[in-house]
Amino acid sequence: MSVALRSTGWRCFSCKRLIYQQVSIQFKKMNMYAVPNPGIPGCPPGLEYLTQVDQLLIKQKVELVEALVGFESNNKYEVRNSMGQNVYYAVEENDCLSRQCCGPMRSFTIHVLDNFGQEVITITRPLKCMSCFFPCCLQELEIQAPPGNTVGYVIQQWHPFSPKFIVANEHNEPVLKIHGPFCGWSCLPDVDFEILTMDEVSKIGKISKQWTGLLREAFTDTDNFGIQFPMDLDVRMKAVMIGACFLIDFMFFESTN
């Protein structure tokens, strides 16, 4: 009898152990994209995952109140990989007065968090007038990763018709350029902003605003964006490209239709 009990107890223990192992394996599979390899030399903490990707999808979350009554709320975004898995979550920090009075021209701070709630990127935009007739009030962003450590800037170049930006490193030295289409943001369902080398000879990627459907485009200002860049691009510049995507959204696609 005691032998049978010990045998039964051992089988129960083995079953439990097997279940725990299976649950652990499933948990790791679910979070393998969210748990980066720690300690990559030269990589800011929290950006390790970006070393493994050459494209990202940024989806703005639909706000029901904003869609129904036009009351502008803080923007929220999900940053996903090519398989649709959430990699980061971004939320705008702002005050109600700025959102309602300044609209898409408003200053903002966007906090980018990983799947464990740790802030890995901070994006700051100062308040500046936005008009092609005022070249002294060009848009700019500062990107920090982690917060407090500047890794780059996005600086608008003056042009009367086409959107142009300089992507600079932490020393404000130009590294890349971003060129948008002539009047493209209001004429086409899909709009590409090309990422170019400084000599404008090679196209190395793009930031694309993607069509989200007639009803959603007509009644909300929520947008989907795709970012493509070389796999071996400096991870700091990949973080700057995420910031550039948010700036492009606010400048050209944020106005409620």
Side-chain angles (χ1 to χ4, degrees):
M1 186 68 172
S2 59
V3 174
L5 288 174
R6 285 199 298 268
S7 177
T8 303
W10 174 253
R11 287 199 298 270
C12 291
F13 176 80
S14 300
C15 290
K16 289 181 179 179
R17 185 177 180 181
L18 181 61
I19 291 172
Y20 291 154
Q21 289 176 344
Q22 291 175 343
V23 170
S24 178
I25 291 172
Q26 290 299 322
F27 181 82
K28 289 178 180 178
K29 286 182 178 179
M30 291 171 60
N31 291 277
M32 62 185 299
Y33 65 92
V35 183
N37 296 322
I40 298 179
C43 179
L47 301 189
E48 292 90 349
Y49 183 77
L50 293 183
T51 63
Q52 308 172 28
V53 296
D54 59 1
Q55 56 183 313
L56 293 169
L57 176 65
I58 297 182
K59 298 178 67 70
Q60 185 177 353
K61 299 187 69 175
V62 177
E63 298 293 339
L64 183 60
V65 174
E66 185 175 343
L68 293 177
V69 302
F71 184 85
E72 189 70 29
S73 59
N74 282 326
N75 285 1
K76 300 177 181 65
Y77 304 87
E78 293 176 348
V79 182
R80 302 180 178 180
N81 61 18
S82 58
M83 295 180 290
Q85 300 165 322
N86 280 359
V87 179
Y88 299 113
Y89 182 80
V91 59
E92 175 192 2
E93 178 187 352
N94 215 318
D95 60 87
C96 181
L97 184 62
S98 296
R99 293 196 304 272
Q100 309 315 316
C101 296
C102 300
M105 294 189 298
R106 63 185 182 268
S107 61
F108 60 69
T109 298
I110 292 180
H111 305 280
V112 181
L113 314 175
D114 64 16
N115 285 329
F116 304 101
Q118 299 296 317
E119 185 172 357
V120 296
I121 304 173
T122 303
I123 301 163
T124 306
R125 176 201 192 188
L127 176 63
K128 292 191 176 183
C129 294
M130 190 166 62
S131 172
C132 60
F133 301 108
F134 295 98
C136 60
C137 296
L138 300 178
Q139 301 297 304
E140 62 181 54
L141 283 183
E142 179 184 356
I143 297 89
Q144 299 178 354
N149 179 44
T150 300
V151 295
Y153 301 88
V154 180
I155 305 164
Q156 182 187 10
Q157 290 184 294
W158 183 83
H159 193 279
F161 305 112
S162 300
K164 296 179 182 292
F165 302 90
I166 290 288
V167 177
N169 61 18
E170 66 271 22
H171 304 298
N172 226 338
E173 300 168 340
V175 177
L176 297 169
K177 292 184 177 181
I178 299 176
H179 288 181
F182 173 78
C183 194
W185 53 91
S186 60
C187 306
L188 299 173
D190 294 322
V191 185
D192 291 338
F193 289 74
E194 296 183 345
I195 303 172
L196 308 169
T197 55
M198 284 303 298
D199 57 12
E200 301 184 14
V201 173
S202 300
K203 173 186 172 182
I204 66 168
K206 62 182 179 179
I207 298 174
S208 303
K209 191 268 182 181
Q210 302 170 343
W211 176 253
T212 56
L214 180 60
L215 291 178
R216 188 167 176 177
E217 293 283 346
F219 296 106
T220 73
D221 57 359
T222 56
D223 301 301
N224 292 336
F225 290 88
I227 308 177
Q228 297 179 19
F229 37 58
M231 183 75 75
D232 60 353
L233 182 67
D234 188 328
V235 69
R236 297 175 180 84
M237 291 299 102
K238 291 183 180 181
V240 173
M241 291 303 164
I242 295 176
C245 182
F246 293 141
L247 179 61
I248 289 171
D249 180 29
F250 273 84
M251 289 183 64
F252 305 111
F253 307 106
E254 180 66 13
S255 297
T256 305
N257 297 311

